């Protein structure tokens, strides 16, 4: 949990790495259920889809995982609504 939001906090909020890891861990403690559900779905979906499509499922799952990571960051760390442009 300490590493989930830390890269985004370092890059987008100019925090020191140790401070970003502490804040990420605190946010993870508050949002432990969504993190567990996301982790379980990722652990189950990625290998199954990859095996069924002979590796091509990675090209579908990884962009989705990156989008959900950014969406979770925005949900926890910003008050700005996501605008549909």
């Amino acid at each position: 949990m300490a590493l989930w939001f830390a890269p985004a906090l370092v890059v987008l909020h100019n925090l020191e790495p140790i401070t970003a890891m502490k804040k990420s861990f605190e946010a993870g403690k508050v949002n432990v259920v969504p993190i567990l559900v996301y982790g379980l779905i990722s652990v189950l979906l990625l290998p199954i889809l990859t095996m069924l499509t002979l590796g091509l499922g990675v090209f579908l799952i990884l962009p989705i995982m990156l989008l959900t990571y950014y969406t979770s960051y925005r949900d926890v760390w910003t008050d700005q609504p996501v605008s549909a442009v």
Side-chain angles (χ1 to χ4, degrees), residues 7-31:
L9 292 174
V10 169
V11 172
L12 299 174
H13 293 272
N14 296 325
L15 292 177
E16 294 295 321
I18 299 299
T19 306
M21 290 173 68
K22 288 178 184 177
K23 289 185 177 279
S24 177
F25 186 76
E26 293 296 321
K29 284 193 317 189
V30 173
N31 296 301

